[in-house]
Structures are given as structure tokens and as C-alpha cells.
Amino acid sequence: MLWLALYFPQLPLEAFTASSYIAQTQIPQVVLEQNRVHLANNTAISAGIVPGCSLATAHSIAPDLTHHERDEAKESLRLQMLAQCFYRYSSMVSIESPDCVLVEVQGSLRLWQGWQNIIRGVAQICCDLGHRQVSR
């Protein structure tokens, strides 16, 4: 068997922004967990916000900051939605919580004319849905 692993490093943030206009803007955004920055987008990181800092500190660095409380249930729903889309490439799809989906692609290589076409297709699905993935 040949498995494709898809890791979604920004899933906690993308769970809030993937289907909205805010994802397309350059507004600094963070996800909080226990009133601390858990994850920040590139704009927030460029401004100097780092994981672990308090919300007050993050707001002092970037007054126009948008913040979200981490919602693991929402993340799980997004991961399930993504996994459903990958059934296009295989009948064997497995969610590896909290931020990974595995897709068995051995049986699909000939149908999709190779590994690279599957990778491109999966990446396009992720992009269309507002997610950034790392594939292995």
C-alpha cells in the first residue's frame, strides 16, 4: 500500500477563515487557547506576535488584530469535510486527528496517471477550500 499523508498546520486558524473573506485579507489573526496565542497567521507573525504571548500583548503589537478561541470541534468538522473530498482519489481515507488525513493511493495511480497528478489534484482541492497542506 502507498499512503499519502496530508498535514494541515494552519487548521485551527483555517477552521475560522477558510470559507470567508477574512482569509483573503492581510489582517493579523490569531487563535487563542487559554487566553494565549496558539497559532498566528503570517501577517501577525510578521508584526511580531509569537505563540504563547497573551491576547493583551498581541493586541498591543497589532491593534487591528482579529482573534478566535480555538474550537477543536470546528477543526474536526473541517478535517472530516476535507477527508470526504479525498474519496475522489481512494476509498481508503483515514482521519488522523487533530490535523492530518491519510489517503491510500496505490490503487489509484494508474487511474490518475501517476503520483504527481494525485498530489496536484489534492493540493488544488485544499487550495479551493482555503486550506494549506503539507503532503508526504
Side-chain angles (χ1 to χ4, degrees):
M1 284 191 197
L2 179 63
W3 290 86
L4 171 62
L6 301 161
Y7 167 57
F8 298 91
Q10 296 286 314
L11 186 64
L13 185 58
E14 292 167 347
F16 293 99
T17 63
S19 60
S20 69
Y21 171 74
I22 198 165
Q24 309 302 320
T25 66
Q26 295 301 313
I27 297 171
Q29 299 175 68
V30 297
V31 173
L32 302 174
E33 193 166 45
Q34 298 178 351
N35 211 35
R36 297 272 175 197
V37 173
H38 171 72
L39 185 68
N41 70 356
N42 288 338
T43 305
I45 291 169
S46 294
I49 296 170
V50 296
C53 75
S54 70
L55 178 58
T57 300
H59 268 295
S60 71
I61 293 169
D64 59 338
L65 178 76
T66 299
H67 67 276
H68 311 276
E69 276 296 324
R70 185 163 187 201
D71 187 342
E72 292 178 11
K74 198 170 197 172
E75 293 170 37
S76 179
L77 286 173
R78 288 303 292 188
L79 211 53
Q80 289 173 30
M81 185 266 310
L82 286 161
Q84 289 293 320
C85 294
F86 302 142
Y87 279 107
R88 175 179 189 176
Y89 297 98
S90 176
S91 62
M92 295 178 62
V93 177
S94 176
I95 295 173
E96 297 297 319
S97 293
D99 51 16
C100 189
V101 177
L102 301 175
V103 183
E104 196 287 316
V105 295
Q106 181 71 44
S108 301
L109 291 174
R110 199 167 95 193
L111 174 66
W112 290 97
Q113 299 172 354
W115 176 257
Q116 291 303 319
N117 288 331
I118 294 172
I119 296 285
R120 268 192 294 277
V122 166
Q124 187 62 55
I125 288 171
C126 294
C127 181
D128 291 347
L129 295 172
H131 291 278
R132 184 176 64 88
Q133 94 289 342
V134 177
S135 303
R136 295 273 182 223

